[in-house]
Amino acid sequence: MSHEIFMPALSSTMTEGKIVSWTKATGDKVDKGETVVVVESDKADMDVESFYDGYLAAILVGDGEVAPVGSTIALLAETEADIPEVQKQAQQQSSSASPAPAATPATPEPAPVAAATSQNGSGGRSSGRTVASPRARKLAKELNVELSNLQGSGPYGRIVAEDVQQAAGQPVSAPTVTPVMPAAPAAAPVPMTAATTAPAPSPAPAITPGQVVPFNTLEGAVVRNMNASLSVPVFRVGYTITTDALDRLYKQIKSKGVTMTGLLAKAVAVTLMKHPRLYASYTEQGVRYNSSINVSVAVAMPDGGLITPVLQNADQVDIYSLSRRWKDLVARSRSKQLQPDEYNSGTFTLSNLGMFGVDRFDAILPPGQGSILAIGASRPQVVATDDGLMGVKRQMQVNISCDHRIIYGADAAAFLKDLAQLIETNPQSLTL
């Protein structure tokens, strides 16, 4: 007579999820494969689809509420006539059942809901389904706008709030997403200091002195991950890399849409091909050598926390496609539209604080990875040249943090040496 809708595991680190909004109301007909609820995981907002046809009989976890992964969040009746009986069942369940324990990050069985995984297509449709942001869905309900009639202007044709406002004849609010690549000052050179992996965070909201502000979902995930990371024995190795040749290359090809983040990720990926230990990961059984070089890059989120969009198979993708992919990933990460494999499949991580003028720093190792590379700003330095004279070269400091259970000092040093050689002597190869 009924089916349970569980809180799904939308990422490997997710232990609980927050209901952003129900797209169906009690009593509504639900088709198999239709979005029934939008869930905020620790990294993104995801449309969750029903595995069954039926009627939404009872919502057990309302908008804005949190539930553990694997717990029941709603009940679906098979027929409209079954709704009253299922609602009685829901009342009994809520009064007698104790809260469900948090499940492991595996998909619960049986899995009654599925996270939507495709956002391709025009007009905000994917496989016949309307794809819209949670805010757009909420506005559409308030303004009585039919989403299926709209042409989405968001990434991959996704319908965003501005599309709904325009359709309703309301003033369109200005977008709040910070630009991906802030412009350098007009008089400043454009080398590595303009090579940002993330824009500056938005100004912090006004707070009252003494106030305790709860962590948001993403910040809570960062706390858990960092606590786990600090239990790993880590060592760090630093290296100085001259960036003159890379800066010249960047100036030549940036007009074609190439980003410095793309260049750095490509350089790292190409170098990793010679050093499989550096993108391996630890298991209790031994070293897991990963089959793909997936470069994660840390991005600060406007409302707190950070996320690491992944440039998958970065060693195999040309620099122009890689840069386009990176811009798309950043845009969708800031509107919480990434799919799980776009932020949890990394095998090596970059963190770049050079945009803030930071000379050097150490990065904390992400859980499940063997290495993370911290990149500082590139600055003019007075150095001794090969002919014994003094000259000026642009140099940057990089520091790698490695899991000492599987990676040793010589491994890290060899990787940094090869990375420096590529950047200093043959960056043109990154465009081939």
Side-chain angles (χ1 to χ4, degrees):
M1 291 177 59
S2 67
H3 300 288
E4 292 180 299
I5 297 178
F6 294 112
M7 174 64 72
L10 302 176
S11 75
S12 60
T13 58
M14 179 176 167
T15 59
E16 62 183 17
K18 179 179 178 181
I19 304 297
V20 176
S21 63
W22 287 91
T23 61
K24 293 288 185 178
T26 301
D28 284 354
K29 178 79 168 65
V30 176
D31 295 324
K32 181 179 179 180
E34 186 177 13
T35 297
V36 65
V37 63
V38 179
V39 171
E40 178 186 7
S41 73
D42 52 7
K43 301 291 176 65
D45 290 351
M46 299 287 292
D47 293 347
V48 177
E49 302 171 351
S50 173
F51 274 150
Y52 304 103
D53 293 325
Y55 293 83
L56 186 59
I59 294 175
L60 305 182
V61 182
D63 290 2
E65 296 180 351
V66 176
V69 167
S71 63
T72 304
I73 58 175
L75 294 177
L76 201 67
E78 289 187 355
T79 67
E80 193 169 9
D82 292 333
I83 292 178
E85 186 63 31
V86 175
Q87 289 176 338
K88 290 181 182 178
Q89 175 188 340
Q91 292 176 350
Q92 296 172 355
Q93 183 172 335
S94 60
S95 61
S96 62
S98 57
T104 58
T107 304
E109 295 184 1
V113 290
T117 57
S118 174
Q119 296 181 358
N120 296 320
S122 61
R125 292 176 180 78
S126 176
S127 303
R129 181 174 61 84
T130 300
V131 180
S133 71
R135 182 163 175 255
R137 291 184 183 279
K138 184 176 180 180
L139 279 175
K141 283 186 176 181
E142 295 174 354
L143 302 175
N144 294 320
V145 173
E146 179 57 51
L147 289 174
S148 61
N149 296 331
L150 301 187
Q151 181 78 16
S153 63
Y156 290 81
R158 187 179 178 95
I159 298 171
V160 295
E162 289 76 15
D163 299 325
V164 178
Q165 291 174 316
Q166 187 173 17
Q170 289 198 347
V172 177
S173 56
T176 57
V177 177
T178 310
V180 176
M181 297 289 288
V190 202
M192 298 292 293
T193 48
T196 64
T197 58
S202 299
I207 58 173
T208 303
Q211 176 186 9
V212 176
V213 180
F215 293 119
N216 63 34
T217 307
L218 182 55
E219 289 172 326
V222 172
V223 170
R224 292 192 296 272
N225 286 343
M226 294 304 96
N227 285 337
S229 294
L230 292 177
S231 66
V232 175
V234 171
F235 73 94
R236 300 168 180 85
V237 179
Y239 209 98
T240 301
I241 300 178
T242 300
T243 65
D244 290 332
L246 188 66
D247 292 338
R248 287 193 296 270
L249 173 63
Y250 176 56
K251 290 179 181 179
Q252 293 171 7
I253 61 178
K254 68 177 182 178
S255 61
K256 299 179 181 179
V258 173
T259 65
M260 184 58 83
T261 295
L263 278 173
L264 291 170
K266 182 68 172 179
V268 165
V270 170
T271 307
L272 285 173
M273 295 170 65
K274 304 177 185 177
H275 301 274
R277 276 260 180 178
L278 271 293
Y279 63 99
S281 54
Y282 168 86
T283 71
E284 292 185 358
Q285 293 73 38
V287 182
R288 175 188 289 117
Y289 287 95
N290 293 300
S291 58
S292 301
I293 299 177
N294 297 338
V295 180
S296 305
V297 187
V299 172
M301 298 294 282
D303 55 351
L306 61 86
I307 194 170
T308 52
V310 180
L311 290 166
Q312 297 177 343
N313 300 307
D315 57 316
Q316 302 174 23
V317 181
D318 67 85
I319 187 60
Y320 306 101
S321 300
L322 199 69
S323 293
R324 288 194 297 271
R325 184 182 300 178
W326 174 243
K327 290 179 179 179
D328 173 63
L329 285 170
V330 171
R332 290 192 291 118
S333 70
R334 293 190 166 277
S335 54
K336 303 182 74 174
Q337 296 173 20
L338 293 182
Q339 300 300 321
D341 66 334
E342 293 178 319
Y343 57 76
N344 65 13
S345 59
T347 55
F348 187 97
T349 296
L350 294 182
S351 181
N352 183 358
L353 293 181
M355 62 170 292
F356 298 106
V358 172
D359 292 318
R360 62 175 64 85
F361 68 102
D362 292 323
I364 298 177
L365 190 68
Q369 294 187 22
S371 307
I372 180 171
L373 186 66
I375 301 174
S378 175
R379 300 185 184 281
Q381 304 287 345
V382 177
V383 298
T385 61
D386 292 338
D387 54 9
L389 301 176
M390 302 299 291
V392 176
K393 295 184 178 181
R394 297 193 68 90
Q395 294 183 328
M396 69 177 180
Q397 302 287 329
V398 299
N399 290 304
I400 192 167
S401 302
C402 300
D403 185 342
H404 211 335
R405 296 172 297 181
I406 60 172
I407 299 170
Y408 305 103
D411 300 321
F415 165 76
L416 292 177
K417 181 181 179 181
D418 286 346
L419 178 64
Q421 184 175 12
L422 171 62
I423 290 176
E424 293 175 352
T425 66
N426 191 26
Q428 290 287 346
S429 63
L430 301 175
T431 64
L432 301 178

